[in-house]
Amino acid sequence: MNRVLRVDDLHVSFDTYAGEVKAVRGVTFDVSEGEVLAIVGESGCGKSVTAQTIMKLNPMPPARIARGEIHLVDKDIVKATEKEMMSIRGKDVSMIFQDPMTCLNPTMTVGKQLTEAIRHHQKLSKDDAHKEALRLLNLVKIPNPEQRSRQYPHEFSGGMRQRVMIAMALSCAPKLLIADEPTTALDVTIQAQIMDLLQEIKEKTNTAIILITHDLGVVASMADRVAVMYAGKIVEIGAAEDIFYRSAHPYTRALLRSLPTTDMDRSVRLVSIAGTPPDLLNPPVGCGFASRCDNCMKICHAELPSQFEVGQNHLSACWLHHEDCPSAKNGGEK
């Protein structure tokens, strides 16, 4: 598979009156065509900032790319000017946002919004752009596309508005599709329909997808690989099967323990993660999860762990995997 995106040692900060917020602290990953990479983690861990930085949607300032590289196919995103990004967005990379009502223009019909994006990038005639818009509405399974294209966003349900957003994201056949919590504002039944639609589109178009979510159930049904983020860093990354059945990082294991299962005994209580994520105005010197980890050792507070290989293409940033580490059962101190 051809690699579509490569993010290498990405650092993103926000300069605020209170100081520098280090929202993303050395993130590295890649995505190939036809692959779904899910990025999961608690709110505030840096998922959306990472995704928006790929498209340079964070206002700069206050945001800035402090360090790192982003290569989208043959384009250097970090060095790209705003004029260059205008041609890259939509054509090479598109995003599906979590609240479609705030992203669609309430004063324009759905069809007009679709044709506007198509004509901007593909230079089609008005009639050809309209035909393409109808094809996309049909692709995302909106019934009566001709009639619906003349309606306004408020005349659509939440699920239908999200389908329109997916159609807009696909309008220029992007190589990378970023879905930023696309099912957050939808009920469970519609969530399943949207995820099935994304899966079907991926199989038809071979588009690479980055799925940003905190819903591990959604991840299990769709992702090929999973990156677990915490405090602005990827703490574990690997195949979805490895993350769910052979998870290695204490944070990943804690997330999985907090999930209910269909065969769970009623007497069993879900496990919550004690404490709160660190303040990224003053990020910890060592592991960001150290203050909440049951297996914390002295070195965890003093030094940042590197990523250790715990399986084939399975990496975990935890000192427990170091060859000199004592068993976590023996007091957990070093």
Side-chain angles (χ1 to χ4, degrees):
M1 291 189 294
N2 296 324
R3 189 164 65 188
V4 173
L5 175 73
R6 172 67 180 171
V7 177
D8 187 28
D9 193 31
L10 180 65
H11 292 252
V12 181
S13 294
F14 289 84
D15 295 314
T16 70
Y17 291 112
E20 179 188 1
V21 179
K22 298 178 179 178
V24 177
R25 306 186 298 141
V27 163
T28 297
F29 64 87
D30 57 46
V31 190
S32 299
E33 62 181 19
E35 180 184 35
V36 179
L37 172 70
I39 303 179
V40 303
E42 291 174 88
S43 296
C45 71
K47 305 186 301 294
S48 292
V49 173
T50 300
Q52 289 170 8
T53 303
I54 294 169
M55 295 184 68
K56 277 194 169 177
L57 292 178
N58 296 313
M60 299 183 183
R64 61 183 169 85
I65 300 174
R67 189 162 88 237
E69 298 179 359
I70 304 172
H71 292 279
L72 179 62
V73 191
D74 57 347
K75 298 176 177 67
D76 188 335
I77 299 298
V78 174
K79 294 180 181 178
T81 64
E82 181 57 28
K83 185 177 180 180
E84 289 170 333
M85 288 306 301
M86 289 288 287
S87 64
I88 291 171
R89 296 185 194 117
K91 184 178 180 182
D92 294 308
V93 55
S94 290
M95 181 176 283
I96 304 167
F97 297 93
Q98 57 181 291
D99 187 357
M101 197 55 192
T102 61
C103 299
L104 293 171
N105 190 330
T107 67
M108 293 172 62
T109 63
V110 162
K112 188 173 182 181
Q113 293 184 61
L114 269 170
T115 54
E116 187 178 68
I118 293 167
R119 295 190 71 187
H120 175 74
H121 287 287
Q122 299 189 31
K123 311 300 182 186
L124 297 178
S125 67
K126 189 175 180 180
D127 287 342
D128 288 341
H130 179 67
K131 290 177 183 177
E132 178 63 11
L134 295 182
R135 185 189 73 81
L136 289 167
L137 290 176
N138 189 58
L139 177 67
V140 297
K141 299 182 179 179
I142 290 182
N144 306 315
E146 181 69 60
Q147 177 187 343
R148 296 296 254 166
S149 69
R150 296 192 293 268
Q151 294 180 322
Y152 291 86
H154 72 269
E155 299 179 83
F156 286 68
S157 66
M160 285 297 181
R161 285 196 292 266
Q162 194 60 285
R163 290 172 187 267
V164 172
M165 284 296 300
I166 294 172
M168 290 182 70
L170 294 170
S171 60
C172 300
K175 298 175 180 66
L176 175 65
L177 183 63
I178 301 173
D180 188 3
E181 303 201 26
T183 60
T184 296
L186 308 175
D187 62 56
V188 177
T189 305
I190 304 301
Q191 282 183 20
Q193 292 177 5
I194 294 298
M195 296 315 298
D196 287 344
L197 176 61
L198 285 174
Q199 181 70 32
E200 186 177 324
I201 287 169
K202 185 207 77 167
E203 292 171 357
K204 285 182 178 179
T205 63
N206 207 33
T207 303
I209 297 177
I210 294 178
L211 176 63
I212 311 290
T213 185
H214 57 262
D215 188 338
L216 291 174
V218 167
V219 171
S221 65
M222 186 172 179
D224 298 305
R225 288 191 301 135
V226 180
V228 182
M229 282 194 74
Y230 185 82
K233 297 185 74 67
I234 290 179
V235 296
E236 186 170 0
I237 186 168
E241 186 176 334
D242 287 331
I243 297 299
F244 280 95
Y245 297 106
R246 292 176 289 276
S247 56
H249 197 280
Y251 177 61
T252 309
R253 291 174 177 172
L255 283 180
L256 293 172
R257 285 199 303 269
S258 67
L259 284 177
T261 60
T262 54
D263 58 349
M264 181 178 287
D265 191 289
R266 291 186 179 183
S267 62
V268 176
R269 299 187 64 181
L270 291 177
V271 179
S272 61
I273 306 174
T276 57
D279 182 1
L280 295 183
L281 268 169
N282 185 26
V285 175
C287 175
F289 191 60
S291 61
R292 307 173 73 186
C293 182
D294 294 334
N295 299 319
C296 181
M297 302 175 288
K298 287 181 180 178
I299 195 172
C300 299
H301 290 290
E303 194 172 334
L304 195 66
S306 57
Q307 288 193 327
F308 297 94
E309 191 169 346
V310 293
Q312 186 175 5
N313 298 320
H314 184 191
L315 303 173
S316 176
C318 180
W319 285 115
L320 289 173
H321 309 306
H322 193 280
E323 58 183 6
D324 295 330
C325 176
S327 171
K329 297 179 181 179
N330 296 331
E333 290 197 351
K334 186 175 181 180

